[in-house]
Amino acid sequence: MAKNKVADSLTGLVGTFFHLDSLLQAIEQLRQAGYRDLQSFSPVPHHNIDATLEKPPSPVRYFTLAGCLLGAATGLTLTIATSLHYPLITGGKPIVSIPPFLVIVFELTILFGGLLTLGGMLFNSRLPKVNIGPAYNPRFSEDQFGLWVRCEQKDHETVTTLLKSAGAEEIIPAGQGRELNKV
Amino acid sequence: MQAPGWRYYTLLSIDLIVVAWGIFAWRYTVQHGLGVWGLTHPVMWAMDITNFVFWVGIAHSGTLISAILYLFRVRWRASIYRTAEAVTVFALFTAGLFPIIHLGRPWVFHWLLPYSQFGGLWVNFRSPLVWDVFAVMTYMIISVLFFFTGLVPDMAVVRNRTSGWRQKIYAFMAQGWQGTDRQWRHYKAAYVFLAALATPLVISVHSVVSWDFAQSVVAGWHSTIFAPYFVAGAIHSGLAMVITLLIPLRRIFRLDAYITQQHLENLAKLIILTGLIVGYAYAVETYIAWYSNNVPEWQRFTYQVTGEYAIPFWIMILFNSLVPLLFFVKRIRTSTPWLFAIAILINIGMWMERFVIIVTGLAHEYDPYSWGVFIPTWVDISITLGAFAWFFLWFLLFIKFLPVISIVEVKEELPPPTRSQNGEE
Amino acid sequence: MSRKVPLIFWGLLGLGTVIFLVGLRMDPLRSWQAYLINFLFWGGIAQGGVVFGAMYHVVGGKWGPPVRRCAEGMVAFLPVNFVLFFPLYYALNMFYGSVREINPVRGAWFDPRFIFVRGGLGLGLMTVLSLFFVYYSLRPEVGWLQEQKLRPRHWLYEWITDGWQGQELEAQHCQRGLDVLSAGVLVVYPITYTFMAFDLIMSLDPFWYSSLFGGYFFISTFYLGLAGLALVCVLIRWQLGPSVVTSTQLSDLGRLLLGFNLTYFAMVWSQYIVIWYGNLPEETQFIILRLWEMPWAVFSWSVFILSVFVPFLIFLSQKAKREPKILFAVGVSVGLGLWLERYVLIVPSVWHSDVIPLGWIEIGVAAGFLGATGLSYLFFLENFPVLPFVSPIPSSAAFEKQHAEESPAEVRLAR
């Protein structure tokens, strides 16, 4: 997305937290202060982070539904059309025999549903990413939480104060992250 | 995931030798024809399809533990589901060999796939064997997807800790994962939906496999109970295989803190349930064989109990439905040696069950003139052993290269660090 | 609860009895088949509910103590159901006479008296096990209430707490009792209900058999029990308030219903596809008569629509599962569908005239059984608390608060 490029150039500050409630407090304070462009990092997911950030539920569910419907339609079309195209009586069953075809339909429903769910997840998370963002710190996958506040240079002081008051351990400008694998 | 010792390499070498022997046996089959197996009229399907059903069955418990228990919000699944899922994927790799192996002309195996040939003729979608192709392929794809999706956050952890060419591979598998809230949100949603899709899939796959037999009119095969009976049996054998692998794994890697006595006990309790269902199915089949007034059905039943295959039959009854009842005793289900021994017995019993159902069904059909016996040859047995070795080969590679316990999920089960817990920091 | 409700149930019971007796004079076969259908239906709801309670205990569930108690309450109808089994003796010759003529090989096994005896024994065993299971669940409760003198003395409470040894000892003792009995209920239930299905439904057709029929029937009964439980929980919520039966609990019940909806359908499908594919006339005649021939086709397809398709489509939505009105509607739909299911399994096997037997006799007998079930359940509710006092979790709302940090979004939605 173009917005990301611009946002990247704005950089911002990244605060690291040892405790979950510090992170949550920081998020709340920043949101109240009007800074909405936040991105958190955590080693494990937690409902509270999502709840405090108040983001809408994931649209992956629509991908799943679309996949299931597509799979069902494909299954029905494939089986019925091919049977009619070359009508061959096998085992005394009707040319268009719905009960066996339903088994195929079911399997394809699940297959397409699963594939599109995964696709939906990758698409929505903008994975796979070749360049890991400037705000990432390997410790965010181990035991620390992170909060990246995208803001302009002039806001840095306000944001720093807010982060510190919530209990951030370290605050560094994004882009000057720790030495990371150059993937 | 440190460098392994000489024991690992020895095990790996022995394993590779058995796999090679299995491949040799198969090549021998392709060269000389299926006659080198014990297959003959009337038993034209025996150890080949037994192995297929056995390995597809083993695959089921992995999905049970990772998907079904996830949907029921069962906490204790966290540390064992990675290994269980690996068992699923590798068992499917093994099972997937057999549709190719058991073809008389394996070089045309692509005829199984749905595409158009000979001027518009497609595969016969009405046939249970084609349902099998779809079901097992779907199951394989979804299981691999599920496995790798679950791996992504863990790969990020591993990526951060390695360097060099290893890091490049893990980084690729991690797909640039950073653990942002956005990524977690979509990941969690996708995981729930994949689990919700995998659950009916699991039930359907072994039902479809059972219908390979139930849809026929062979006496003893044509029975409506086959679908749930096979599914329960699959989970039964799969759980036993998971226990068989977890116990040494736990010992070797010293994972006692993560894979606790409680986990193994819970698996044992699940085995009681599946064992009871399998026992119920045996009893009902017997009752219906009598009730139905169907002479071929009844004589096939008596053949099972007293005929040439009586020993495998009684092993099946004893090991699958009676031995697991021992798990009602707390002392037995909390003792690792007992767990391991009973799990092995169940695996043997379940293999025997598939063998008995298939072979006795075919050996004693409607026409007494065509009754016959199946005697396995060295080729049959070699291929069976080769398949086991193939499965263990993948498993050995897995424990070398990937984290056997889901790092992220186990962490998730711990309470998050909060200031109130730690006081002043 | 208003005084009118028990009166309504008494009225229904009386009406049902009268209609049944009148029907016996006019058309005994029709009355008896209506009786059998309703006996299996209402007994099934009650037994399914208790089995849910046993299952909840075995898996160590903690998500819904009031739901569990509502399920246990259904045990009150089981002794009544057992007594109601005895009149069926008079129907047996009517149902099985022709079967034995056509299939003498099964001889003694299908002697109506033998069917009656083993059915009675099985039912009796299940009733006893269920009663003891609920006894062990209630005993610590009632004992505590007596100790704290929160309830007046009552012969029922005296009987339940006979030999009371103090809270601590009793808690342990009852816990062990619950462990054993819940396992007992869960093991005996499939066996008993398999044989009930084989004997009371499958055997009505002299030739047909299906090995999964027993399994199908006990899953169907459990599904029915869940639907009944959902209905009861919603009613209790409307009566006692959303802090007793919370939205999260309703949502969990909805999920269970969805799961067993699919399981039920899988049982139906497994039988159908095998029979369809084999195409053996002795098997297909049963299915064709019910699925493709009028008038029974209307009933069969109604069963699928009401108990499978409608609940499935509705419960795909997350929000629908926690709405009490929707859950109630789905419960009614499933209940109605499964009543028709029992109808369409039994009636075509025994009814051989052209007139469709669906009218005031069937409705009347159903009303009578509804009255009996309602009265039994009310008896339980009046005497035992819906919220367990003694278990570690005192009330649903407090339970929710305790786990609030786990699911704040859900709790918010609940408000």
PDB file of all heavy atoms in Angstrom, chain B residues 73 126 215 222-225 280 284 287 291 293-294, chain C residues 103 106 109-110 194 209-212 252 273-274 277 283:
ATOM      1  N   ARG B  73     -11.502 -25.573  23.056  1.00  0.00           N
ATOM      2  CA  ARG B  73     -10.714 -24.780  23.994  1.00  0.00           C
ATOM      3  C   ARG B  73     -10.095 -25.649  25.087  1.00  0.00           C
ATOM      4  O   ARG B  73     -10.133 -25.301  26.264  1.00  0.00           O
ATOM      5  CB  ARG B  73     -11.581 -23.682  24.631  1.00  0.00           C
ATOM      6  CG  ARG B  73     -11.969 -22.610  23.631  1.00  0.00           C
ATOM      7  CD  ARG B  73     -12.857 -21.599  24.243  1.00  0.00           C
ATOM      8  NE  ARG B  73     -14.221 -22.092  24.343  1.00  0.00           N
ATOM      9  CZ  ARG B  73     -15.228 -21.413  24.858  1.00  0.00           C
ATOM     10  NH1 ARG B  73     -15.017 -20.220  25.360  1.00  0.00           N
ATOM     11  NH2 ARG B  73     -16.424 -21.918  24.915  1.00  0.00           N
ATOM     12  N   ARG B 126     -18.619 -41.224  -9.446  1.00  0.00           N
ATOM     13  CA  ARG B 126     -19.532 -42.004  -8.627  1.00  0.00           C
ATOM     14  C   ARG B 126     -18.803 -43.050  -7.802  1.00  0.00           C
ATOM     15  O   ARG B 126     -19.386 -43.650  -6.916  1.00  0.00           O
ATOM     16  CB  ARG B 126     -20.565 -42.708  -9.507  1.00  0.00           C
ATOM     17  CG  ARG B 126     -21.582 -41.790 -10.099  1.00  0.00           C
ATOM     18  CD  ARG B 126     -22.430 -42.514 -11.137  1.00  0.00           C
ATOM     19  NE  ARG B 126     -22.627 -41.669 -12.287  1.00  0.00           N
ATOM     20  CZ  ARG B 126     -21.915 -41.732 -13.387  1.00  0.00           C
ATOM     21  NH1 ARG B 126     -20.961 -42.641 -13.509  1.00  0.00           N
ATOM     22  NH2 ARG B 126     -22.144 -40.913 -14.390  1.00  0.00           N
ATOM     23  N   GLN B 215     -19.497 -49.532   0.470  1.00  0.00           N
ATOM     24  CA  GLN B 215     -20.358 -49.325  -0.693  1.00  0.00           C
ATOM     25  C   GLN B 215     -20.470 -50.578  -1.537  1.00  0.00           C
ATOM     26  O   GLN B 215     -21.308 -50.656  -2.422  1.00  0.00           O
ATOM     27  CB  GLN B 215     -19.815 -48.193  -1.579  1.00  0.00           C
ATOM     28  CG  GLN B 215     -19.563 -46.908  -0.852  1.00  0.00           C
ATOM     29  CD  GLN B 215     -20.826 -46.169  -0.511  1.00  0.00           C
ATOM     30  OE1 GLN B 215     -21.905 -46.726  -0.481  1.00  0.00           O
ATOM     31  NE2 GLN B 215     -20.681 -44.900  -0.235  1.00  0.00           N
ATOM     32  N   HIS B 222     -20.589 -54.602   3.604  1.00  0.00           N
ATOM     33  CA  HIS B 222     -21.722 -53.715   3.358  1.00  0.00           C
ATOM     34  C   HIS B 222     -22.481 -53.497   4.659  1.00  0.00           C
ATOM     35  O   HIS B 222     -23.429 -54.202   4.980  1.00  0.00           O
ATOM     36  CB  HIS B 222     -22.642 -54.330   2.307  1.00  0.00           C
ATOM     37  CG  HIS B 222     -23.710 -53.396   1.835  1.00  0.00           C
ATOM     38  ND1 HIS B 222     -23.451 -52.321   1.032  1.00  0.00           N
ATOM     39  CD2 HIS B 222     -25.037 -53.357   2.070  1.00  0.00           C
ATOM     40  CE1 HIS B 222     -24.564 -51.670   0.782  1.00  0.00           C
ATOM     41  NE2 HIS B 222     -25.543 -52.275   1.400  1.00  0.00           N
ATOM     42  N   SER B 223     -22.030 -52.511   5.396  1.00  0.00           N
ATOM     43  CA  SER B 223     -22.604 -52.288   6.718  1.00  0.00           C
ATOM     44  C   SER B 223     -22.596 -50.792   6.977  1.00  0.00           C
ATOM     45  O   SER B 223     -21.587 -50.127   6.792  1.00  0.00           O
ATOM     46  CB  SER B 223     -21.738 -53.031   7.732  1.00  0.00           C
ATOM     47  OG  SER B 223     -22.116 -52.708   9.025  1.00  0.00           O
ATOM     48  N   THR B 224     -23.725 -50.242   7.416  1.00  0.00           N
ATOM     49  CA  THR B 224     -23.802 -48.786   7.538  1.00  0.00           C
ATOM     50  C   THR B 224     -22.921 -48.241   8.654  1.00  0.00           C
ATOM     51  O   THR B 224     -22.566 -47.074   8.639  1.00  0.00           O
ATOM     52  CB  THR B 224     -25.247 -48.340   7.803  1.00  0.00           C
ATOM     53  OG1 THR B 224     -25.810 -49.148   8.837  1.00  0.00           O
ATOM     54  CG2 THR B 224     -26.081 -48.468   6.545  1.00  0.00           C
ATOM     55  N   ILE B 225     -22.551 -49.103   9.614  1.00  0.00           N
ATOM     56  CA  ILE B 225     -21.802 -48.593  10.752  1.00  0.00           C
ATOM     57  C   ILE B 225     -20.344 -48.314  10.407  1.00  0.00           C
ATOM     58  O   ILE B 225     -19.612 -47.742  11.212  1.00  0.00           O
ATOM     59  CB  ILE B 225     -21.894 -49.582  11.940  1.00  0.00           C
ATOM     60  CG1 ILE B 225     -21.661 -48.838  13.248  1.00  0.00           C
ATOM     61  CG2 ILE B 225     -20.908 -50.717  11.787  1.00  0.00           C
ATOM     62  CD1 ILE B 225     -21.888 -49.679  14.463  1.00  0.00           C
ATOM     63  N   TYR B 280     -17.876 -51.294  20.841  1.00  0.00           N
ATOM     64  CA  TYR B 280     -19.312 -51.221  20.541  1.00  0.00           C
ATOM     65  C   TYR B 280     -19.568 -51.667  19.106  1.00  0.00           C
ATOM     66  O   TYR B 280     -20.482 -52.446  18.834  1.00  0.00           O
ATOM     67  CB  TYR B 280     -19.782 -49.780  20.752  1.00  0.00           C
ATOM     68  CG  TYR B 280     -21.155 -49.449  20.210  1.00  0.00           C
ATOM     69  CD1 TYR B 280     -22.289 -49.630  20.981  1.00  0.00           C
ATOM     70  CD2 TYR B 280     -21.313 -48.936  18.928  1.00  0.00           C
ATOM     71  CE1 TYR B 280     -23.543 -49.325  20.496  1.00  0.00           C
ATOM     72  CE2 TYR B 280     -22.563 -48.622  18.428  1.00  0.00           C
ATOM     73  CZ  TYR B 280     -23.675 -48.812  19.216  1.00  0.00           C
ATOM     74  OH  TYR B 280     -24.909 -48.502  18.727  1.00  0.00           O
ATOM     75  N   VAL B 284     -21.993 -54.621  17.854  1.00  0.00           N
ATOM     76  CA  VAL B 284     -23.165 -54.381  16.999  1.00  0.00           C
ATOM     77  C   VAL B 284     -23.052 -55.169  15.693  1.00  0.00           C
ATOM     78  O   VAL B 284     -24.034 -55.730  15.208  1.00  0.00           O
ATOM     79  CB  VAL B 284     -23.322 -52.878  16.710  1.00  0.00           C
ATOM     80  CG1 VAL B 284     -24.317 -52.631  15.595  1.00  0.00           C
ATOM     81  CG2 VAL B 284     -23.771 -52.165  17.956  1.00  0.00           C
ATOM     82  N   TYR B 287     -24.116 -58.610  16.393  1.00  0.00           N
ATOM     83  CA  TYR B 287     -25.557 -58.695  16.571  1.00  0.00           C
ATOM     84  C   TYR B 287     -26.283 -58.624  15.237  1.00  0.00           C
ATOM     85  O   TYR B 287     -27.176 -59.437  14.948  1.00  0.00           O
ATOM     86  CB  TYR B 287     -26.034 -57.565  17.490  1.00  0.00           C
ATOM     87  CG  TYR B 287     -27.529 -57.507  17.681  1.00  0.00           C
ATOM     88  CD1 TYR B 287     -28.172 -58.442  18.487  1.00  0.00           C
ATOM     89  CD2 TYR B 287     -28.301 -56.547  17.047  1.00  0.00           C
ATOM     90  CE1 TYR B 287     -29.547 -58.409  18.656  1.00  0.00           C
ATOM     91  CE2 TYR B 287     -29.675 -56.501  17.215  1.00  0.00           C
ATOM     92  CZ  TYR B 287     -30.292 -57.430  18.018  1.00  0.00           C
ATOM     93  OH  TYR B 287     -31.650 -57.395  18.176  1.00  0.00           O
ATOM     94  N   TYR B 291     -28.846 -60.954  13.411  1.00  0.00           N
ATOM     95  CA  TYR B 291     -30.194 -60.398  13.262  1.00  0.00           C
ATOM     96  C   TYR B 291     -30.649 -60.371  11.809  1.00  0.00           C
ATOM     97  O   TYR B 291     -31.817 -60.575  11.504  1.00  0.00           O
ATOM     98  CB  TYR B 291     -30.197 -58.979  13.823  1.00  0.00           C
ATOM     99  CG  TYR B 291     -31.487 -58.222  13.705  1.00  0.00           C
ATOM    100  CD1 TYR B 291     -32.400 -58.192  14.752  1.00  0.00           C
ATOM    101  CD2 TYR B 291     -31.795 -57.510  12.550  1.00  0.00           C
ATOM    102  CE1 TYR B 291     -33.568 -57.484  14.655  1.00  0.00           C
ATOM    103  CE2 TYR B 291     -32.964 -56.796  12.446  1.00  0.00           C
ATOM    104  CZ  TYR B 291     -33.848 -56.786  13.498  1.00  0.00           C
ATOM    105  OH  TYR B 291     -35.007 -56.083  13.399  1.00  0.00           O
ATOM    106  N   ASN B 293     -30.405 -62.264   9.359  1.00  0.00           N
ATOM    107  CA  ASN B 293     -30.838 -63.468   8.641  1.00  0.00           C
ATOM    108  C   ASN B 293     -30.094 -63.635   7.324  1.00  0.00           C
ATOM    109  O   ASN B 293     -30.540 -64.358   6.446  1.00  0.00           O
ATOM    110  CB  ASN B 293     -32.330 -63.380   8.288  1.00  0.00           C
ATOM    111  CG  ASN B 293     -33.178 -63.907   9.401  1.00  0.00           C
ATOM    112  OD1 ASN B 293     -32.662 -64.453  10.362  1.00  0.00           O
ATOM    113  ND2 ASN B 293     -34.469 -63.745   9.271  1.00  0.00           N
ATOM    114  N   ASN B 294     -29.004 -62.925   7.202  1.00  0.00           N
ATOM    115  CA  ASN B 294     -28.271 -62.934   5.945  1.00  0.00           C
ATOM    116  C   ASN B 294     -27.229 -64.047   6.049  1.00  0.00           C
ATOM    117  O   ASN B 294     -26.252 -63.915   6.776  1.00  0.00           O
ATOM    118  CB  ASN B 294     -27.626 -61.556   5.781  1.00  0.00           C
ATOM    119  CG  ASN B 294     -26.985 -61.366   4.445  1.00  0.00           C
ATOM    120  OD1 ASN B 294     -26.522 -62.311   3.826  1.00  0.00           O
ATOM    121  ND2 ASN B 294     -26.959 -60.122   4.014  1.00  0.00           N
TER     122      ASN B 294
ATOM    123  N   ASN C 103     -40.763 -63.695  10.023  1.00  0.00           N
ATOM    124  CA  ASN C 103     -39.373 -64.026  10.323  1.00  0.00           C
ATOM    125  C   ASN C 103     -39.258 -64.941  11.522  1.00  0.00           C
ATOM    126  O   ASN C 103     -38.748 -64.549  12.559  1.00  0.00           O
ATOM    127  CB  ASN C 103     -38.613 -62.732  10.620  1.00  0.00           C
ATOM    128  CG  ASN C 103     -37.507 -62.516   9.637  1.00  0.00           C
ATOM    129  OD1 ASN C 103     -36.811 -63.442   9.279  1.00  0.00           O
ATOM    130  ND2 ASN C 103     -37.354 -61.284   9.206  1.00  0.00           N
ATOM    131  N   ARG C 106     -36.000 -65.615  13.920  1.00  0.00           N
ATOM    132  CA  ARG C 106     -35.558 -64.828  15.073  1.00  0.00           C
ATOM    133  C   ARG C 106     -36.342 -65.205  16.310  1.00  0.00           C
ATOM    134  O   ARG C 106     -36.106 -64.671  17.377  1.00  0.00           O
ATOM    135  CB  ARG C 106     -35.736 -63.345  14.782  1.00  0.00           C
ATOM    136  CG  ARG C 106     -34.847 -62.923  13.648  1.00  0.00           C
ATOM    137  CD  ARG C 106     -34.999 -61.467  13.330  1.00  0.00           C
ATOM    138  NE  ARG C 106     -34.477 -61.170  12.011  1.00  0.00           N
ATOM    139  CZ  ARG C 106     -34.708 -60.054  11.358  1.00  0.00           C
ATOM    140  NH1 ARG C 106     -35.467 -59.133  11.886  1.00  0.00           N
ATOM    141  NH2 ARG C 106     -34.186 -59.858  10.187  1.00  0.00           N
ATOM    142  N   TRP C 109     -36.216 -64.426  20.291  1.00  0.00           N
ATOM    143  CA  TRP C 109     -35.665 -63.096  20.514  1.00  0.00           C
ATOM    144  C   TRP C 109     -36.733 -62.039  20.296  1.00  0.00           C
ATOM    145  O   TRP C 109     -36.730 -61.002  20.934  1.00  0.00           O
ATOM    146  CB  TRP C 109     -34.489 -62.875  19.554  1.00  0.00           C
ATOM    147  CG  TRP C 109     -33.738 -61.616  19.748  1.00  0.00           C
ATOM    148  CD1 TRP C 109     -33.779 -60.534  18.942  1.00  0.00           C
ATOM    149  CD2 TRP C 109     -32.832 -61.301  20.805  1.00  0.00           C
ATOM    150  NE1 TRP C 109     -32.942 -59.548  19.413  1.00  0.00           N
ATOM    151  CE2 TRP C 109     -32.356 -60.008  20.555  1.00  0.00           C
ATOM    152  CE3 TRP C 109     -32.377 -61.979  21.934  1.00  0.00           C
ATOM    153  CZ2 TRP C 109     -31.440 -59.367  21.389  1.00  0.00           C
ATOM    154  CZ3 TRP C 109     -31.464 -61.348  22.766  1.00  0.00           C
ATOM    155  CH2 TRP C 109     -31.020 -60.051  22.492  1.00  0.00           C
ATOM    156  N   PHE C 110     -37.664 -62.312  19.367  1.00  0.00           N
ATOM    157  CA  PHE C 110     -38.692 -61.328  19.098  1.00  0.00           C
ATOM    158  C   PHE C 110     -40.036 -61.654  19.701  1.00  0.00           C
ATOM    159  O   PHE C 110     -41.052 -61.117  19.305  1.00  0.00           O
ATOM    160  CB  PHE C 110     -38.803 -61.059  17.594  1.00  0.00           C
ATOM    161  CG  PHE C 110     -37.688 -60.182  17.190  1.00  0.00           C
ATOM    162  CD1 PHE C 110     -36.604 -60.694  16.525  1.00  0.00           C
ATOM    163  CD2 PHE C 110     -37.661 -58.868  17.586  1.00  0.00           C
ATOM    164  CE1 PHE C 110     -35.521 -59.880  16.228  1.00  0.00           C
ATOM    165  CE2 PHE C 110     -36.595 -58.057  17.300  1.00  0.00           C
ATOM    166  CZ  PHE C 110     -35.520 -58.570  16.614  1.00  0.00           C
ATOM    167  N   THR C 194     -29.160 -48.184  21.930  1.00  0.00           N
ATOM    168  CA  THR C 194     -28.999 -48.973  20.706  1.00  0.00           C
ATOM    169  C   THR C 194     -30.045 -50.069  20.681  1.00  0.00           C
ATOM    170  O   THR C 194     -30.734 -50.279  19.671  1.00  0.00           O
ATOM    171  CB  THR C 194     -27.603 -49.604  20.674  1.00  0.00           C
ATOM    172  OG1 THR C 194     -26.638 -48.572  20.620  1.00  0.00           O
ATOM    173  CG2 THR C 194     -27.444 -50.505  19.476  1.00  0.00           C
ATOM    174  N   TYR C 209     -32.612 -53.808   8.109  1.00  0.00           N
ATOM    175  CA  TYR C 209     -31.660 -53.658   9.191  1.00  0.00           C
ATOM    176  C   TYR C 209     -30.581 -52.679   8.763  1.00  0.00           C
ATOM    177  O   TYR C 209     -30.303 -52.512   7.571  1.00  0.00           O
ATOM    178  CB  TYR C 209     -31.034 -55.005   9.574  1.00  0.00           C
ATOM    179  CG  TYR C 209     -30.287 -55.662   8.444  1.00  0.00           C
ATOM    180  CD1 TYR C 209     -28.932 -55.441   8.258  1.00  0.00           C
ATOM    181  CD2 TYR C 209     -30.939 -56.515   7.559  1.00  0.00           C
ATOM    182  CE1 TYR C 209     -28.245 -56.036   7.224  1.00  0.00           C
ATOM    183  CE2 TYR C 209     -30.257 -57.114   6.525  1.00  0.00           C
ATOM    184  CZ  TYR C 209     -28.909 -56.874   6.354  1.00  0.00           C
ATOM    185  OH  TYR C 209     -28.245 -57.464   5.326  1.00  0.00           O
ATOM    186  N   SER C 210     -29.988 -52.050   9.735  1.00  0.00           N
ATOM    187  CA  SER C 210     -28.899 -51.124   9.458  1.00  0.00           C
ATOM    188  C   SER C 210     -28.043 -51.117  10.707  1.00  0.00           C
ATOM    189  O   SER C 210     -28.520 -50.822  11.796  1.00  0.00           O
ATOM    190  CB  SER C 210     -29.462 -49.728   9.197  1.00  0.00           C
ATOM    191  OG  SER C 210     -28.460 -48.763   9.347  1.00  0.00           O
ATOM    192  N   SER C 211     -26.773 -51.483  10.582  1.00  0.00           N
ATOM    193  CA  SER C 211     -25.961 -51.617  11.796  1.00  0.00           C
ATOM    194  C   SER C 211     -25.759 -50.290  12.502  1.00  0.00           C
ATOM    195  O   SER C 211     -25.552 -50.247  13.707  1.00  0.00           O
ATOM    196  CB  SER C 211     -24.613 -52.269  11.484  1.00  0.00           C
ATOM    197  OG  SER C 211     -24.064 -51.731  10.312  1.00  0.00           O
ATOM    198  N   LEU C 212     -25.857 -49.185  11.740  1.00  0.00           N
ATOM    199  CA  LEU C 212     -25.641 -47.900  12.387  1.00  0.00           C
ATOM    200  C   LEU C 212     -26.901 -47.377  13.052  1.00  0.00           C
ATOM    201  O   LEU C 212     -26.892 -46.338  13.701  1.00  0.00           O
ATOM    202  CB  LEU C 212     -25.146 -46.878  11.347  1.00  0.00           C
ATOM    203  CG  LEU C 212     -24.735 -45.515  11.859  1.00  0.00           C
ATOM    204  CD1 LEU C 212     -23.709 -45.631  12.959  1.00  0.00           C
ATOM    205  CD2 LEU C 212     -24.212 -44.674  10.731  1.00  0.00           C
ATOM    206  N   ASP C 252     -22.251 -21.026  23.928  1.00  0.00           N
ATOM    207  CA  ASP C 252     -21.614 -22.342  23.968  1.00  0.00           C
ATOM    208  C   ASP C 252     -22.622 -23.444  23.668  1.00  0.00           C
ATOM    209  O   ASP C 252     -22.318 -24.408  22.955  1.00  0.00           O
ATOM    210  CB  ASP C 252     -20.977 -22.576  25.341  1.00  0.00           C
ATOM    211  CG  ASP C 252     -19.657 -21.843  25.478  1.00  0.00           C
ATOM    212  OD1 ASP C 252     -19.048 -21.523  24.440  1.00  0.00           O
ATOM    213  OD2 ASP C 252     -19.232 -21.581  26.609  1.00  0.00           O
ATOM    214  N   ILE C 273     -26.035 -43.208   2.226  1.00  0.00           N
ATOM    215  CA  ILE C 273     -25.150 -43.403   1.079  1.00  0.00           C
ATOM    216  C   ILE C 273     -24.802 -44.871   0.905  1.00  0.00           C
ATOM    217  O   ILE C 273     -24.723 -45.379  -0.214  1.00  0.00           O
ATOM    218  CB  ILE C 273     -23.878 -42.517   1.205  1.00  0.00           C
ATOM    219  CG1 ILE C 273     -23.067 -42.545  -0.075  1.00  0.00           C
ATOM    220  CG2 ILE C 273     -22.990 -42.937   2.339  1.00  0.00           C
ATOM    221  CD1 ILE C 273     -23.666 -41.757  -1.185  1.00  0.00           C
ATOM    222  N   VAL C 274     -24.658 -45.613   2.018  1.00  0.00           N
ATOM    223  CA  VAL C 274     -24.313 -47.028   1.896  1.00  0.00           C
ATOM    224  C   VAL C 274     -25.502 -47.787   1.305  1.00  0.00           C
ATOM    225  O   VAL C 274     -25.343 -48.628   0.419  1.00  0.00           O
ATOM    226  CB  VAL C 274     -23.909 -47.601   3.267  1.00  0.00           C
ATOM    227  CG1 VAL C 274     -23.791 -49.098   3.214  1.00  0.00           C
ATOM    228  CG2 VAL C 274     -22.600 -46.998   3.712  1.00  0.00           C
ATOM    229  N   TYR C 277     -26.009 -46.841  -2.421  1.00  0.00           N
ATOM    230  CA  TYR C 277     -25.005 -47.380  -3.329  1.00  0.00           C
ATOM    231  C   TYR C 277     -25.157 -48.877  -3.506  1.00  0.00           C
ATOM    232  O   TYR C 277     -25.038 -49.400  -4.608  1.00  0.00           O
ATOM    233  CB  TYR C 277     -23.607 -47.054  -2.801  1.00  0.00           C
ATOM    234  CG  TYR C 277     -22.599 -46.927  -3.895  1.00  0.00           C
ATOM    235  CD1 TYR C 277     -22.270 -45.677  -4.402  1.00  0.00           C
ATOM    236  CD2 TYR C 277     -21.970 -48.044  -4.426  1.00  0.00           C
ATOM    237  CE1 TYR C 277     -21.346 -45.546  -5.412  1.00  0.00           C
ATOM    238  CE2 TYR C 277     -21.056 -47.913  -5.444  1.00  0.00           C
ATOM    239  CZ  TYR C 277     -20.739 -46.658  -5.934  1.00  0.00           C
ATOM    240  OH  TYR C 277     -19.826 -46.525  -6.942  1.00  0.00           O
ATOM    241  N   GLU C 283     -32.789 -53.463   1.794  1.00  0.00           N
ATOM    242  CA  GLU C 283     -32.404 -52.261   2.532  1.00  0.00           C
ATOM    243  C   GLU C 283     -33.068 -51.017   1.981  1.00  0.00           C
ATOM    244  O   GLU C 283     -33.493 -50.137   2.732  1.00  0.00           O
ATOM    245  CB  GLU C 283     -30.882 -52.082   2.485  1.00  0.00           C
ATOM    246  CG  GLU C 283     -30.138 -53.167   3.209  1.00  0.00           C
ATOM    247  CD  GLU C 283     -28.630 -52.951   3.160  1.00  0.00           C
ATOM    248  OE1 GLU C 283     -28.169 -52.064   2.411  1.00  0.00           O
ATOM    249  OE2 GLU C 283     -27.920 -53.660   3.865  1.00  0.00           O
TER     250      GLU C 283
END
